[in-house]
Amino acid sequence: MCGINGIAGYNGDPIHDIGIMNECIIRRGPDAGGHFTDERRHVVIGHRRLSIIDLSEAGAQPMESHDGRYIMAYNGEIYNAPEIREKLTSSVQGLSFNGTSDTEILLEAISVWGLKDTLIKCRGMWGISLYDRESGSVMLTRDRIGEKPLYYGMVNGQFVWSSDIRAIASISGFNNPINKSILPIYLRYGYIPAPYTIYKNVYKLTPGTILTVAPPYSIPLSPDELPVNAAGFDISPYYSICEVARCGQAHLFDGNEEEAADELEARLKNTLKGQMLSDVPLGAFLSGGIDSTMVVSLMQQISDRPVRTFTIGFEEEAYNEATFAEATAKHLGTQHTQMYVGYKDVMGLLPVLSEAYGEPFADLSQLPTMLVSKMTKEHVTVALSGDAGDEFYCGYNTYKDAKKGLAIIQGKLGFLKGNTRRSVGRLAKGLDLTLPVGTGYLRNNIHTLNQVLNTKDTVEDYYRAMSDSSLIYGLIPDKALLSHMPSVSDDSYTDGLLPDGESNLMLMDMLQYLPDDILTKVDRAGMYYSLETRIPLLDADVMEFAWSMPLSYKMDNGITKKPLRNILYRYVPKELMDRPKKGFSVPVSRWLREGEMREWAEAILKNSRSLASEYINVAYYDKLWNKYQKDGNWSKILWHTLILCDWLLKQ
């Protein structure tokens, strides 16, 4: 696990700039650093290393291929690297390796098979930059689903890339303006979806793609300022989760539920054998929920020693699952460590959120995720996680709620057809935009009615409508932005792509929410403390099998994540797990109204007032804040705004 940087077509001091960029990502790679420079083509590549496999100098980066053609800086892990090495040595006569690092194996595989064919063979997570000395081309690629980050863009006429957007912003003379058009999207979701970032002309590389840029290293843009393929610049997919989903649903697994659990367990155990390889101490997060407990159960089955597990408990009982985690750890026989945290611990994190996440990011579960990562790093360098169970096995209640909600609306408003319904919707929209903030729930109810009346009769469109908020319209000072909001995956998803509504909602989340929220949260939290996180449920073989399961195998009669439960109950008594889901968060919605956190929030608003007025309607925010202090409404949109203002103050 590492961090990568680079500049192609540099016009400044490359050693100075790459040094500053490397310093920005030192938490991603505290063990060593280096750079490569091609003065002829003005290319410089930087790297910071967190040593996991082969701790010797044989794994140092940037690394040159044996034939001298390629220079690679790489962030991630290739779990099946030993198998790839074996294939290479059996097919290439006389090939030998300097060490055992997956970096060297990956680079030699690319030299033999090419980048795309190599990535298809790889099982792992990655953000890769590859420089071809022959052609001068730079290739960037990101793993299939987006575990590892990779930013790129243009700064002062230079093509740049990095694992951390802060490193790009550190380049001499950086003056890319804030992308105002993405702010309504950020306020809606609490994160910025790919390919956008907080800055203009800086982008997130979409998962499962390869970007190639040739001299003179420039990005052609569409009218809406998104990169487009042209001579010398190309972004092409090597993997499509949509195609995997469609293929899986078209060729459903024909065994019964028990046989499906058997197959999934076998694939997960095979995945874990690769993901548990490490030359440094390794453990796992154990929240006490279905997903992490299932992962730990299988880890303990294939391990010859007690697995190290880590849990944080919360002083707030409504949010605490530590007692359940402790009980399951005792049952499984793991070497368990837990720590209780509370208000003071969360307050200590608030000043570093902008640094840890690089751009505005406001998922409240980032707070406990950072706390458990910090505690875990005190004992191990690698931690496995149970993330992605909800998205692949129908775990979110919102999937059920959306389908039920649409059915209720269709029943109650079924008498409104076609043009009549849309006419009423236009009236509701007009009323929605004129109501003052003080009308509280009335305004939000009118807005919801407006959204529903203008929603197509699909669960996907209903799901989109429910994620919107009328408060965004009041918070954005430039109303023109609301008419020209960028298209994101949720909004452009093709309704009915898969046979049933729940599967479509899961796929929508895999395209946007999972990579841009959940995986961003986990990666940045871990990397802030130099902790590598690995997610077994995102292995390609596991993902592809998950999509071949019938929906009824995943959720039936109100029971969610059935395959994971069926595996788990083979190792942990059902009575230890049979309880309502609590989630992984802290009561910020209450804490923002009291004590130090309220003082923190009000100080941010006061100190950022003049700076933030260009991006949000501060007078409208004041009204929301005052109303919130009285009745506790709208804490989510307020938190999104506070994180934005805090980020602005720290730039």
Side-chain angles (χ1 to χ4, degrees):
M1 189 61 59
C2 310
I4 64 175
N5 295 307
I7 307 173
Y10 61 75
N11 54 35
D13 182 342
I15 305 305
H16 174 267
D17 279 343
I18 207 68
I20 290 177
M21 293 178 80
N22 275 357
E23 187 65 26
C24 282
I25 61 170
I26 199 165
R27 286 179 176 269
R28 300 190 77 91
D31 296 332
H35 69 270
F36 161 86
T37 306
D38 184 335
E39 295 182 356
R40 183 169 66 92
R41 286 205 174 95
H42 287 210
V43 173
V44 61
I45 300 169
H47 184 265
R48 289 295 316 183
R49 185 182 185 192
L50 176 62
S51 302
I52 303 293
I53 300 291
D54 189 348
L55 311 186
S56 73
E57 281 297 309
Q61 300 184 51
M63 184 178 288
E64 181 178 336
S65 60
H66 290 186
D67 61 11
R69 177 175 177 178
Y70 296 109
I71 306 294
M72 186 175 76
Y74 149 65
N75 164 35
E77 299 290 347
I78 306 301
Y79 305 124
N80 63 334
E83 290 86 352
I84 292 174
R85 175 173 174 151
E86 187 175 328
K87 289 179 182 178
L88 284 170
T89 53
S90 64
S91 61
V92 181
Q93 189 174 5
L95 179 63
S96 63
F97 290 86
N98 299 321
T100 59
S101 75
D102 60 342
T103 306
E104 186 180 11
I105 296 167
L106 175 62
L107 186 51
E108 291 314 304
I110 292 169
S111 296
V112 174
W113 297 320
L115 179 57
K116 182 176 180 179
D117 287 346
T118 297
L119 295 179
I120 291 170
K121 292 178 173 67
C122 287
R123 294 293 180 263
M125 55 182 177
W126 58 79
I128 299 170
S129 67
L130 184 72
Y131 175 55
D132 183 347
R133 278 173 156 164
E134 286 186 11
S135 67
S137 295
V138 172
M139 287 159 277
L140 306 178
T141 185
R142 212 174 155 202
D143 59 69
R144 291 174 173 85
I145 203 75
E147 286 188 70
K148 293 289 99 184
L150 192 50
Y151 298 89
Y152 70 95
M154 297 297 295
V155 175
N156 292 338
Q158 308 164 109
F159 180 78
V160 301
W161 66 92
S162 180
S163 300
D164 191 329
I165 196 171
R166 293 184 311 115
I168 290 177
S170 75
I171 296 172
S172 301
F174 178 86
N175 62 356
N176 293 41
I178 288 174
N179 184 2
K180 291 183 182 180
S181 66
I182 202 63
L183 294 181
I185 303 294
Y186 163 75
L187 290 171
R188 176 182 177 186
Y189 294 111
Y191 59 87
I192 299 174
Y196 306 98
T197 73
I198 191 63
Y199 297 115
K200 283 190 174 184
N201 221 2
V202 178
Y203 307 95
K204 298 180 181 82
L205 185 62
T206 304
T209 63
I210 299 171
L211 179 157
T212 304
V213 59
Y217 309 116
S218 63
I219 301 177
L221 299 178
S222 64
D224 59 358
E225 296 187 313
L226 280 179
V228 294
N229 289 350
F233 184 89
D234 178 83
I235 301 179
S236 300
Y238 67 86
Y239 186 86
S240 168
I241 193 67
C242 286
E243 288 305 310
V244 168
R246 286 202 290 192
C247 181
Q249 292 289 285
H251 303 88
L252 292 174
F253 179 72
D254 59 3
N256 59 34
E257 286 190 44
E258 190 68 17
E259 290 168 333
D262 292 341
E263 177 65 21
L264 180 59
E265 180 176 353
R267 293 191 182 215
L268 279 167
K269 283 183 175 178
N270 186 57
T271 294
L272 286 167
K273 288 175 184 177
Q275 295 205 10
M276 290 174 69
L277 290 176
S278 173
D279 292 336
V280 294
L282 175 145
F285 299 136
L286 181 60
S287 69
I290 296 292
D291 309 339
S292 66
T293 308
M294 187 274 298
V295 168
V296 168
S297 298
L298 297 185
M299 289 176 69
Q300 192 60 72
Q301 283 294 307
I302 64 177
S303 177
D304 59 2
R305 67 190 71 180
V307 172
R308 301 199 67 173
T309 52
F310 302 91
T311 300
I312 56 169
F314 300 106
E315 294 167 1
E316 297 275 343
E317 185 55 36
Y319 295 80
N320 183 42
E321 286 195 310
T323 53
F324 303 114
E326 185 177 23
T328 54
K330 183 177 181 180
H331 175 81
L332 292 169
T334 70
Q335 183 181 341
H336 191 58
T337 303
Q338 69 179 32
M339 178 180 72
Y340 274 78
V341 298
Y343 187 90
K344 292 291 184 183
D345 301 286
V346 171
M347 286 301 304
L349 285 180
L350 299 182
V352 304
L353 290 180
S354 292
E355 178 186 356
Y357 286 86
E359 60 180 345
F361 182 85
D363 184 329
L364 282 171
S365 60
Q366 68 194 122
L367 299 168
T369 304
M370 289 188 71
L371 290 171
V372 74
S373 296
K374 181 181 181 182
M375 184 262 286
T376 301
K377 176 59 180 179
E378 294 173 0
H379 304 274
V380 300
T381 305
V382 179
L384 273 65
S385 161
D387 286 291
D390 289 311
E391 290 83 1
F392 279 90
Y393 302 96
C394 219
Y396 291 125
N397 289 330
T398 50
Y399 299 152
K400 296 180 289 184
D401 295 344
K403 195 165 187 178
K404 290 178 181 177
L406 178 62
I408 291 170
I409 293 299
Q410 287 173 329
K412 291 185 176 181
L413 299 177
F415 63 92
L416 292 174
K417 305 292 184 183
N419 292 334
T420 303
R421 190 171 77 172
R422 284 187 287 274
S423 296
V424 176
R426 283 193 291 273
L427 289 173
K429 183 175 183 179
L431 180 58
D432 172 15
L433 295 177
T434 58
L435 286 172
V437 66
T439 51
Y441 281 122
L442 174 60
R443 175 169 187 163
N444 278 336
N445 289 339
I446 292 291
H447 178 75
T448 300
L449 180 61
N450 155 38
Q451 294 295 101
V452 168
L453 289 171
N454 287 284
T455 295
K456 293 177 287 186
D457 288 321
T458 66
V459 68
E460 299 94 313
D461 210 39
Y462 182 86
Y463 193 57
R464 284 188 285 264
M466 294 303 97
S467 72
D468 206 352
S469 168
S470 65
L471 304 179
I472 294 170
Y473 303 121
L475 282 169
I476 296 297
D478 183 357
K479 303 307 178 192
L481 295 177
L482 299 171
S483 302
H484 301 91
M485 285 192 291
S487 175
V488 294
S489 294
D490 274 7
D491 294 327
S492 60
Y493 182 81
T494 303
D495 294 357
L497 185 69
L498 301 179
D500 58 81
E502 291 91 340
S503 293
N504 280 297
L505 298 186
M506 285 189 285
L507 183 53
M508 285 174 68
D509 277 349
M510 287 176 207
L511 292 170
Q512 180 175 306
Y513 177 66
L514 179 62
D516 296 325
D517 187 311
I518 300 300
L519 301 184
T520 296
K521 173 191 67 180
V522 174
D523 173 80
R524 306 308 188 273
M527 285 289 91
Y528 188 74
Y529 298 106
S530 304
L531 176 74
E532 176 177 300
T533 52
R534 300 177 178 179
I535 304 178
L537 289 170
L538 293 181
D539 176 80
D541 288 341
V542 174
M543 291 193 297
E544 288 162 16
F545 181 67
W547 273 117
S548 74
M549 290 186 195
L551 179 65
S552 63
Y553 285 18
K554 299 180 180 182
M555 180 183 72
D556 193 29
N557 293 323
I559 299 174
T560 63
K561 297 192 282 194
K562 289 175 65 181
L564 305 185
R565 294 174 189 269
N566 290 340
I567 295 171
L568 174 61
Y569 296 154
R570 296 171 178 178
Y571 304 105
V572 176
K574 186 176 180 181
E575 54 267 24
L576 274 180
M577 307 303 303
D578 195 9
R579 60 184 184 276
K581 183 175 180 176
K582 288 190 177 183
F584 194 53
S585 191
V586 288
V588 169
S589 59
R590 191 185 79 241
W591 290 349
L592 269 176
R593 301 171 68 196
E594 58 188 40
E596 287 183 60
M597 192 172 289
R598 177 173 177 173
E599 292 172 7
W600 168 81
E602 291 178 341
I604 286 176
L605 183 60
K606 177 183 177 182
N607 295 333
S608 68
R609 200 166 194 82
S610 60
L611 182 64
S613 61
E614 184 179 351
Y615 308 106
I616 64 166
N617 183 340
V618 293
Y620 189 88
Y621 180 89
D622 287 343
K623 292 178 180 178
L624 280 180
W625 180 257
N626 292 333
K627 191 77 168 61
Y628 162 70
Q629 294 302 325
K630 295 176 183 177
D631 55 27
N633 294 334
W634 308 325
S635 61
K636 185 176 180 179
I637 193 76
L638 288 169
W639 181 255
H640 295 179
T641 311
L642 279 169
I643 292 296
L644 172 63
C645 291
D646 182 56
W647 181 88
L648 289 168
L649 279 173
K650 290 182 167 66
Q651 302 315 298

